[in-house]
Amino acid sequence: MIALDEAKRYVLESLAAPSPEVVALDDVLGGVAGEVVLARELVPGFANSSMDGFALRALDTASGSATLRVIGAVYAGDGGSSHVGPGEAARIMTGAPLPDGADCVCMKEEANVEPSGETVRVARTIRAGEFVRFPGEDVAIGQVLVAAGDELSPAKVAVLAGQGFASVRAYRRPRVGVISTGNELARSLGPLQSGQIRDLNRPLLLALVKESGCLPVDLGIVHDDYASIAQRLKDGVDDCDAVVSTGGVSVGDLDHVKAVIAELGGDSARSLQVAIKPGKPFAFGVVGARRVPVFGLPGNPVSTRVSFELFVRPALRFLAGHRELERPTANMVLDSALPRESDGKLHLIHVVARLHSDGLIHVERAIRQGSHLLSAIAEANALAMVPEGADLSSGDTVRAMILDASQLCATST
Ligand code: AMP
Ligand code: MG
């Protein structure tokens, strides 16, 4: 058996670094920038009003009040040719350019317009610059808008669009092929034949791939036949940036996947026994000139999930250009004991974790163990990591990987 960290390191060190490409802003949300982007336009581009009111000269109000002649109105979108002289004011709307000569705005709520509309009375001193948005206040030319490696959030996309950019150099979302292997897997949704089971791993992995921000590619189900598996994996490698298969990596008579990965991956291929439970058998190799990673995960669905989290997701994030590859982990308080037997492995236990009123995250309960019990783990939102030798009682702390942060505040059922 090899340690989890060593197996993970082997995977990550085998990967080829991705290169950024030009990606339309429409497609880039959640992606990662591959270049630093500097501002080329001032934002705002011109002095404008942040209020509906009157543009005027601050000096005119220095005595504490003023009555000013209203000379016209400026609207958002106007070209900015108006002028305000001493003793004058112009009606101004939010976003309209400040007229030449004016240096402040008195908000409408503080201005008393005479019934004729010809003069306005301002009853206090207005400071120069009041309610004016100045050029470059938001963005100065040359300012770093996005750094290489930044994840592109909605606000970052908008900031780039605000500079008139239609695209940015970013990392393409990896296309990830998903294959299930096994003679027992039903091909249709009709009634199951004797000995058949439904394919849980393909929908599970397609969803996990999507959740990790990549593009899932359904490569279907393949029989436990060496040549068929080899052909399907090769097709996947040609079409995708990574391929994940399940089943056939253990020691059964028909477990061909690990041998196929060994053939396709050559020197890069490893068939590992990782010191974790579940998820011990794991085959991996990089295939072809593009060094496409191929992951052979065990067939039991809970093992598939755990192996995906530990090996596949960090690798996919690397290929997608992310700097932070790992899920967040936190120390959590155990509300009940988490016993384990001694077998030399790190145990990964699906748990229900909730933020309590004491400000701490509690592990309220562990999910029934069994690597085939997928429905049982469906309500888990964290993966407790219990090392060999740990003897955890209620009240002790356990380190856990947060799988779904949005569920930390859910009401427990
Ligand atoms: P294997 O790793 O191929 O030996 O499979 C281990 C266990 O997982 C067996 O009980 C399989 O029937 C089951 N299994 C394999 N693939 C799937 C799948 N796609 N969906 C659900 N169960 C599976
Ligand atoms: Mg099998």
Side-chain angles (χ1 to χ4, degrees):
M1 286 199 300
I2 83 162
L4 173 62
D5 285 350
E6 207 180 318
K8 285 183 75 158
R9 198 173 329 119
Y10 185 74
V11 169
L12 292 174
E13 287 176 356
S14 304
L15 301 176
S19 339
E21 297 174 10
V22 174
V23 180
L25 287 192
D26 287 350
D27 284 335
V28 88
L29 178 66
V32 176
E35 63 177 351
V36 60
V37 183
L38 304 181
R40 58 184 185 180
E41 293 179 359
L42 282 180
V43 183
F46 53 91
N48 67 88
S49 178
S50 67
M51 283 287 171
D52 296 321
F54 290 84
L56 48 94
R57 294 168 177 254
L59 204 56
D60 283 346
T61 64
S63 69
S65 68
T67 300
L68 305 168
R69 194 159 61 82
V70 179
I71 54 149
V74 267
Y75 297 90
D78 282 356
S81 57
S82 56
H83 180 86
V84 167
E88 294 178 344
R91 294 175 53 229
I92 191 164
M93 313 302 141
T94 304
L98 196 71
D100 285 347
D103 60 2
C104 63
V105 171
C106 170
M107 60 198 276
K108 197 169 182 178
E109 293 83 342
E110 288 189 287
N112 284 309
V113 185
E114 315 271 304
S116 68
E118 282 171 13
T119 60
V120 60
R121 183 159 172 78
V122 177
R124 72 169 172 92
T125 300
I126 311 289
R127 279 176 292 108
E130 218 172 305
F131 298 123
V132 177
R133 300 162 172 166
F134 289 99
E137 221 174 53
D138 186 12
V139 178
I141 289 173
Q143 178 181 329
V144 174
L145 298 174
V146 161
D150 278 0
E151 192 168 320
L152 293 162
S153 63
K156 287 206 165 104
V157 172
V159 164
L160 294 174
Q163 294 286 310
F165 292 116
S167 62
V168 61
R169 285 182 71 77
Y171 296 96
R172 205 163 41 81
R173 264 162 231 280
R175 286 168 57 79
V176 183
V178 174
I179 303 176
S180 283
T181 72
N183 292 340
E184 71 275 37
L185 302 176
R187 286 349 186 230
S188 78
L189 299 179
L192 293 173
Q193 307 297 310
S194 168
Q196 284 191 330
I197 63 169
R198 299 216 190 268
D199 180 4
L200 301 180
N201 293 343
R202 210 159 33 104
L204 174 65
L205 285 172
L206 290 168
L208 286 168
V209 164
K210 200 166 181 182
E211 188 202 39
S212 64
C214 301
L215 300 172
V217 179
D218 188 352
L219 298 172
I221 295 173
V222 59
H223 277 288
D224 289 315
D225 168 68
Y226 189 99
S228 313
I229 294 168
Q231 190 57 53
R232 195 70 65 94
L233 286 182
K234 276 189 223 160
D235 291 346
V237 165
D238 288 344
D239 184 36
C240 299
D241 303 302
V243 178
V244 189
S245 89
T246 61
V249 291
S250 199
V251 293
D253 293 352
L254 300 181
D255 285 345
H256 299 306
V257 173
K258 61 179 191 282
V260 173
I261 292 178
E263 184 199 326
L264 299 182
D267 287 348
S268 76
R270 293 281 183 280
S271 180
L272 302 172
Q273 302 294 312
V274 187
I276 54 174
K277 182 183 175 180
K280 185 171 80 150
F282 171 56
F284 174 78
V286 291
V287 180
R290 289 194 299 122
R291 299 177 65 78
V292 174
V294 177
F295 300 85
L297 309 187
N300 273 308
V302 178
S303 314
T304 294
R305 203 286 160 80
V306 167
S307 301
F308 180 90
E309 294 296 341
L310 297 180
F311 301 116
V312 184
R313 194 173 182 279
L316 298 185
R317 285 183 64 83
F318 177 83
L319 295 178
H322 287 279
R323 283 179 297 216
E324 186 52 59
L325 306 182
E326 302 293 336
R327 295 257 201 209
T329 63
N331 291 328
M332 302 182 184
V333 182
L334 284 171
D335 285 355
S336 53
L338 208 51
R340 56 158 293 170
E341 82 273 20
S342 170
D343 56 10
K345 299 177 196 164
L346 174 70
H347 287 199
L348 296 138
I349 301 170
H350 281 88
V351 296
V352 175
R354 296 283 184 261
L355 186 59
H356 280 203
S357 54
D358 60 4
L360 301 173
I361 302 175
H362 286 237
V363 168
E364 292 188 344
R365 64 201 165 81
I367 303 295
R368 222 156 27 110
Q369 301 303 298
S371 56
H372 57 300
L373 302 174
L374 185 65
S375 74
I377 67 158
E379 58 189 325
N381 65 329
L383 205 51
M385 299 180 283
V386 184
E388 170 75 7
D391 178 19
L392 298 175
S393 315
S394 177
D396 285 349
T397 293
V398 69
R399 190 82 175 173
M401 179 188 286
I402 299 169
L403 301 174
D404 186 350
S406 70
Q407 289 298 306
L408 286 176
C409 296
T411 311
S412 294
T413 47

